[in-house]
Amino acid sequence: MRVAHVYQFILRIFKETFSSPFETEETLNQCYLQGNRTLLLIGFTSFLAGIVFTRQSRPSLIEFGAESWLPSLVSIAIVRGLGPLITALICSGKLGSSMGAELSSMKVTEQIDAMEASGTNPFKYLVVTRVIATTVMVPVLVIYADAVALMGSYVAVHYYSQTTFKLFFTQAFQALSFLDIFSSIIKPVFFGFAIGVVSTYAGYNAPRATVGVGKSANRSVVISMVCVFIIDFLAVQIFGSLRP
Amino acid sequence: MTTHDEQPVLKVEHLYKSFDERPVLVDVSLALHKGENLVILGRSGMGKSVLIKCIIGLIEPDEGTIYILGKNTTHLDHKALNEVRQKIGFSFQGSALYDSMTVRENLTFSLKRNLNIHDPQQLDAMVRDALRDVGLEHAIDQMPSELSGGMRKRIGIARCLILKPEIMLYDEPTAGLDPVTSSEINQLILEVKQKYHTSSIIITHDITCAKTTADRIIYMQDGRVYLEGTFEALDRKDDPQLETFFNYFKIQHQ
Amino acid sequence: MKREEVRRNTRLGIFVITGILLFLFAIFYVGSEQSLFNANFPLRANFVDVNGLQKGNNVWLSGVKVGTVREVNIIDNSMVQIEMRIDQKLRQFIKEDALASISSEGFVGNTIVVIEPGSSPQAVADNAIIRTGQQTSTQDMMNALQTTAENITNITHELRQIMQEAGKEGTLGSLLTDTTLGPEIKLTIDNIQTTGRRSAVLTSDVIQMLTQLKNNESGVVNTLLTDTSFSRTYEETLANIKTAGEQAAAASAELTALVEKIDNQKNAMGVVLNDTAFANNIQKTADQLSEGVAKFNENMEAAQHNFLLRRYFKKKKRQEEKENN
């Protein structure tokens, strides 16, 4: 991927996002499809991740005699890191590959050309709608992932120490600050945008051959995931410097 | 035959295009007159597809100018180019139906966006009209994956017709189809010309198709316009290259 | 087709709105934890040392969270002013003469501000600067314990020396002539005795506490962190230790002075040896002291192995090493 080309691609996304006509219907449709495709998977994985993380942190905390800190520890870990990361990775895998494959196969079978030739703007219809959809849906999915992971963690905590839900909940939220909550929603906006841009770029600019489909699906996933980690790293630096 | 006194609806002048130093189009000039079916004949890989993709603006030529309905389209911005494109129908080789949509959605896709028609009843009527013209009214709610190659081709043509184009571009309309379906498509091309009064460029290597649909034929070789004339005129020419094509046709029709 | 679309968009809408509601709920909940949305009023207090207090730390009144710290500012060379936000509803319980102090949530918790309600009939005004006091911290306790231990070791050591010297040398008669010295020594020895007993009691207290801490299956840390009555006991224990430590330090200082005196005037020894009851007394005291010291060492040993205090000892050791080098 050439940097200048990607830059122009992103610039075009911004330009066409804010210029009429708007593909509202298709954007909503994409939001629905993306949410539909990933919600169950994200819910399931974050539930398990909540349980696993809780179970694995417990022995260390017990060693320090601080088992009662488990809810706070887990809630911070989930909201700051685990929830957004799990969501972003699942979305890179699930949405990235499907977007990359879908767009590149449309390219190979000349469907993108057909749209272009009929005088409609395929970029707007195919790329912009998907990027908007990921940018909007990933944060929403993160909220669900956080909630479900906390549930999973509660199940694990309750299994060991019969903590009431109210106490778990109070302790979990006591540890969280506004910054944590906001970072858990702002970070995924960038995750979603990156996943959308990378995958549509890989699909939209795929080589015109059948191998291009597999290649761009693969590329979408790999590069999205790397981007997610890079953004996560940068976010830690930025939000870390904002913390008192 | 067509009258040649009018302005041509489409004119290509001195078009050059090369990919990675390999010339594909070399000084191509042609004109399409109103109500005419122009067949561009030639072997595969001779730049025919590149030529019509240049015309519709999918590929940017290196040099040369293209006039569509009197407008130079080589240096138009996106918006103006799209306005011109709305007057041209392009039937793709692989039909290029949108997989994720039903036939109805395929047809209404451009209607909604280009002509801004959103009234469901009006859309329905237009879709049914267009499908009736290609004889596939019953396929209205099917997905493209459920259709055969010939049907897809027809739907692809219907998708162009629904926009009432002035110019139709057919890229290999009979490629990959059995002879019966091919001749049906050829008939369809003629019907379209009759009913919609379109001027068409038909890219093909199928001599039967050329014979049936052509008012005039351009034979392309090595990216150049090699020969030009009616089917009969070319048939009489004594050219070894052309001979092969025409002999194949004769075998079929013996 | 159209109906399908409406149905999908409705589902999408419900999905997104639920997500946003969850988000808002989280925001609201965290906000209310930090008393941002409740009616609250500002209250200030000046401290010399806030012990790492930060914005957002909790403010406790009688062991109940009533607000948070909003600002921590150094206002001059030796003064830190903190601004707290206290729940408006609880203003009536905080009187003009309320006392604020810096403490921590149990052994290893966050730094907090503890307000003692006061007894004046008048409730505090907005932005009032309330009195402050210093509460015992873990650090203070450890320092006191350390000093006590060192002193006790010195005393026993020197006492043993006296005993030995008293046995060897025969210049006892001269001591008999000095009548003023006798009662003084007696008083001092009594002091030592009391301190010895106190530190024995104290030591067993601390050992008990640490043992409980170590066996945390019963959730003692939990209790320690959450149970206010326990934390009060804990505070009292700390205070006890401190008093005892200070007393022992005072007593040992006295004793050291006395021993120096004895060294100068060796005749004082006669009193000690003539009065057998008194000698026994000293013997007993010395025994008690050494027992106390042994227990204390045990206690320190236990403390060193307890993770909670491990860091403190490590730091101490490093410091010592640094000084030695």
Side-chain angles (χ1 to χ4, degrees):
Chain A
M1 287 209 247
R2 285 158 300 168
V3 176
H5 202 198
V6 176
Y7 174 72
Q8 273 176 352
F9 189 81
I10 294 173
L11 218 61
R12 191 170 168 197
I13 290 174
F14 277 115
K15 224 170 70 190
E16 302 212 358
T17 301
F18 298 108
S19 66
S20 72
F22 302 106
E23 294 280 358
T24 324
E25 208 173 290
E26 175 63 9
T27 309
L28 288 177
N29 183 36
Q30 285 299 328
C31 286
Y32 177 81
L33 287 178
Q34 294 185 356
N36 212 15
R37 267 183 211 153
T38 51
L39 181 62
L40 210 64
L41 197 61
I42 286 172
F44 184 65
T45 41
S46 33
F47 188 75
L48 291 187
I51 292 178
V52 168
F53 188 79
T54 309
R55 286 200 60 167
Q56 287 181 338
S57 316
R58 196 171 168 271
S60 324
L61 281 184
I62 285 177
E63 196 182 319
F64 286 98
E67 197 195 346
S68 63
W69 282 8
L70 199 50
S72 327
L73 174 83
V74 169
S75 73
I76 286 181
I78 287 172
V79 171
R80 281 193 198 165
L82 216 53
L85 200 63
I86 289 177
T87 313
L89 290 183
I90 298 251
C91 286
S92 319
K94 191 107 208 240
L95 302 181
S97 61
S98 76
M99 282 192 282
E102 195 179 2
L103 291 195
S104 58
S105 70
M106 286 184 82
K107 175 107 178 182
V108 171
T109 56
E110 297 183 307
Q111 291 176 49
I112 293 180
D113 284 344
M115 280 184 195
E116 183 104 50
S118 70
T120 46
N121 187 344
F123 193 87
K124 204 162 215 157
Y125 180 78
L126 297 171
V127 174
V128 175
T129 56
R130 281 168 171 77
V131 174
I132 292 178
T134 50
T135 313
V136 172
M137 291 314 276
V138 173
V140 179
L141 287 165
V142 165
I143 296 171
Y144 281 87
D146 284 353
V148 174
L150 281 176
M151 286 294 168
S153 158
Y154 169 68
V155 169
V157 168
H158 183 78
Y159 176 78
Y160 287 113
S161 51
Q162 275 73 50
T163 313
T164 61
F165 183 70
K166 189 137 179 75
L167 179 64
F168 174 83
F169 194 78
T170 311
Q171 288 184 333
F173 271 91
Q174 212 148 42
L176 296 176
S177 67
F178 270 130
L179 198 65
D180 294 326
I181 305 273
F182 277 119
S183 84
S184 87
I185 195 104
I186 289 166
K187 211 161 61 170
V189 170
F190 289 93
F191 286 162
F193 184 72
I195 293 168
V197 168
V198 168
S199 311
T200 49
Y201 182 89
Y204 201 75
N205 295 302
R208 284 177 190 276
T210 324
V211 286
V213 178
K215 219 180 198 171
S216 56
N218 185 279
R219 254 188 176 185
S220 309
V221 175
V222 174
I223 299 175
S224 307
M225 283 188 179
V226 172
C227 283
V228 163
F229 280 107
I230 292 173
I231 292 170
D232 209 19
F233 170 77
L234 293 177
V236 163
Q237 305 296 318
I238 291 165
F239 286 113
S241 72
L242 290 178
R243 281 204 174 85
Chain B
M1 287 248 73
T2 34
T3 46
H4 284 211
D5 48 309
E6 282 180 70
Q7 262 294 76
V9 287
L10 190 150
K11 202 164 79 181
V12 174
E13 283 179 344
H14 311 294
L15 210 61
Y16 288 85
K17 177 75 195 175
S18 33
F19 290 115
D20 305 326
E21 310 292 309
R22 188 175 60 86
V24 180
L25 295 178
V26 183
D27 195 15
V28 175
S29 297
L30 60 86
L32 176 70
H33 300 282
K34 191 155 176 59
E36 178 190 37
N37 273 0
L38 173 66
V39 166
I40 298 179
L41 196 63
R43 287 167 53 199
S44 304
M46 288 298 158
K48 297 171 304 196
S49 285
V50 174
L51 175 63
I52 59 166
K53 281 183 181 161
C54 283
I55 293 172
I56 196 84
L58 291 175
I59 294 174
E60 207 174 318
D62 296 338
E63 253 179 76
T65 38
I66 298 163
Y67 297 94
I68 297 171
L69 304 168
K71 240 185 212 162
N72 182 348
T73 63
T74 32
H75 297 293
L76 284 181
D77 64 20
H78 217 76
K79 210 177 154 205
L81 184 63
N82 274 347
E83 272 170 28
V84 174
R85 280 168 172 171
Q86 286 169 27
K87 302 201 171 78
I88 308 174
F90 194 119
S91 159
F92 282 84
Q93 188 172 349
S95 355
L97 298 183
Y98 312 135
D99 297 327
S100 54
M101 307 177 204
T102 62
V103 168
R104 182 202 298 272
E105 285 164 334
N106 260 284
L107 265 64
T108 53
F109 183 83
S110 297
L111 274 183
K112 284 181 185 166
R113 283 165 183 81
N114 292 347
L115 306 179
N116 227 349
I117 302 171
H118 289 283
D119 174 34
Q121 274 171 347
Q122 195 185 351
L123 284 175
D124 189 64
M126 291 176 84
V127 169
R128 283 181 192 282
D129 275 350
L131 286 177
R132 197 175 303 124
D133 287 339
V134 297
L136 282 174
E137 211 182 347
H138 59 277
I140 187 159
D141 285 321
Q142 280 181 293
M143 295 300 282
S145 54
E146 300 165 345
L147 305 174
S148 70
M151 287 164 93
R152 292 165 136 255
K153 207 85 171 207
R154 283 160 183 266
I155 302 290
I157 293 169
R159 189 172 68 184
C160 301
L161 294 180
I162 203 166
L163 292 168
K164 308 277 185 287
E166 293 180 37
I167 302 169
M168 277 297 292
L169 306 175
Y170 298 93
D171 189 0
E172 305 278 9
T174 58
L177 298 178
D178 63 89
V180 180
T181 315
S182 292
S183 74
E184 277 172 16
I185 296 289
N186 293 339
Q187 285 309 311
L188 181 63
I189 292 172
L190 289 175
E191 281 167 26
V192 166
K193 180 188 163 190
Q194 291 268 310
K195 182 157 184 203
Y196 289 84
H197 310 291
T198 53
S199 328
S200 314
I201 294 180
I202 301 142
I203 302 278
T204 189
H205 57 256
D206 177 0
I207 199 79
T208 322
C209 172
K211 155 89 175 153
T212 324
T213 56
D215 297 321
R216 189 157 60 96
I217 293 177
I218 285 177
Y219 183 77
M220 273 182 76
Q221 187 162 352
D222 300 326
R224 294 163 206 274
V225 176
Y226 188 68
L227 284 169
E228 190 178 344
T230 59
F231 186 82
E232 291 75 21
L234 290 185
D235 196 13
R236 281 194 295 277
K237 283 236 164 63
D238 199 20
D239 185 273
Q241 285 290 337
L242 221 49
E243 206 82 319
T244 330
F245 263 97
F246 280 78
N247 285 343
Y248 182 65
F249 171 70
K250 279 161 194 157
I251 291 165
Q252 278 187 326
H253 286 257
Q254 262 164 8
Chain C
M1 185 195 92
K2 211 68 196 167
R3 191 175 298 148
E4 163 76 1
E5 209 162 85
V6 171
R7 203 171 60 84
R8 286 169 123 202
N9 285 345
T10 315
R11 280 174 68 181
L12 177 70
I14 292 170
F15 175 75
V16 172
I17 287 168
T18 314
I20 291 170
L21 285 181
L22 274 175
F23 177 69
L24 289 180
F25 172 75
I27 293 274
F28 189 79
Y29 198 88
V30 170
S32 69
E33 277 293 315
Q34 299 187 356
S35 350
L36 285 188
F37 302 125
N38 295 353
N40 53 35
F41 71 97
L43 198 59
R44 293 167 193 273
N46 294 336
F47 288 96
V48 177
D49 178 3
V50 293
N51 220 342
L53 191 74
Q54 287 176 329
K55 282 184 205 175
N57 276 136
N58 292 335
V59 180
W60 284 12
L61 174 71
S62 313
V64 177
K65 191 194 154 185
V66 294
T68 52
V69 175
R70 293 294 292 280
E71 292 291 342
V72 178
N73 291 317
I74 298 181
I75 51 171
D76 66 43
N77 280 343
S78 59
M79 200 58 79
V80 180
Q81 185 168 78
I82 64 164
E83 188 194 320
M84 298 167 279
R85 291 269 163 179
I86 312 291
D87 193 338
Q88 188 68 266
K89 291 193 294 264
L90 299 166
R91 187 203 286 268
Q92 46 175 320
F93 301 116
I94 302 174
K95 309 299 184 192
E96 274 181 336
D97 59 346
L99 185 77
S101 50
I102 305 288
S103 185
S104 68
E105 298 173 351
F107 229 141
V108 281
N110 288 320
T111 312
I112 54 169
V113 178
V114 171
I115 298 181
E116 284 163 34
S119 53
S120 155
Q122 191 69 37
V124 282
D126 277 0
N127 266 322
I129 299 180
I130 56 172
R131 294 186 304 134
T132 53
Q134 206 66 45
Q135 271 209 334
T136 344
S137 71
T138 322
Q139 184 77 24
D140 292 341
M141 174 188 89
M142 294 315 297
N143 287 345
L145 281 176
Q146 189 81 8
T147 326
T148 317
E150 276 167 14
N151 284 343
I152 293 176
T153 321
N154 282 343
I155 294 164
T156 27
H157 182 69
E158 286 186 16
L159 269 179
R160 197 193 294 140
Q161 254 184 355
I162 294 170
M163 294 307 221
Q164 283 168 349
E165 271 184 37
K168 267 190 277 174
E169 309 223 349
T171 47
L172 302 170
S174 53
L175 193 67
L176 282 170
T177 54
D178 194 344
T179 45
T180 49
L181 199 57
E184 209 179 314
I185 294 185
K186 195 160 187 165
L187 191 69
T188 315
I189 299 294
D190 280 347
N191 269 346
I192 297 176
Q193 221 170 347
T194 327
T195 314
R197 242 181 263 122
R198 262 177 187 263
S199 57
V201 171
L202 176 69
T203 310
S204 65
D205 261 6
V206 175
I207 288 176
Q208 199 186 347
M209 194 171 84
L210 288 171
T211 329
Q212 273 182 330
L213 262 179
K214 278 163 100 181
N215 303 336
N216 50 26
E217 283 103 348
S218 56
V220 174
V221 168
N222 201 9
T223 328
L224 193 63
L225 290 170
T226 48
D227 190 336
T228 47
S229 70
F230 190 89
S231 91
R232 178 147 303 163
T233 329
Y234 160 69
E235 297 287 352
E236 278 166 14
T237 316
L238 288 191
N240 274 345
I241 292 180
K242 206 184 174 192
T243 333
E246 277 163 3
Q247 279 184 359
S252 57
E254 262 179 70
L255 192 66
T256 318
L258 180 67
V259 166
E260 270 168 13
K261 232 177 183 178
I262 293 172
D263 272 349
N264 294 340
Q265 299 170 287
K266 298 223 165 168
N267 55 2
M269 276 329 219
V271 179
V272 181
L273 283 188
N274 248 6
D275 188 344
T276 45
F278 191 50
N280 286 343
N281 222 350
I282 291 187
Q283 188 65 45
K284 224 165 82 193
T285 312
D287 285 351
Q288 255 178 7
L289 267 178
S290 64
E291 194 190 336
V293 168
K295 277 198 180 163
F296 194 86
N297 281 342
E298 201 182 318
N299 161 18
M300 291 307 259
E301 187 79 8
Q304 269 172 356
H305 286 289
N306 191 293
F307 84 95
L308 294 166
L309 306 173
R310 202 183 285 155
R311 261 185 58 189
Y312 169 77
F313 283 108
K314 273 197 185 146
K315 214 163 80 188
K316 194 95 192 162
K317 205 173 153 193
R318 266 206 301 280
Q319 235 167 27
E320 273 167 19
E321 273 168 12
K322 216 184 274 171
E323 278 162 17
N324 289 344
N325 288 341

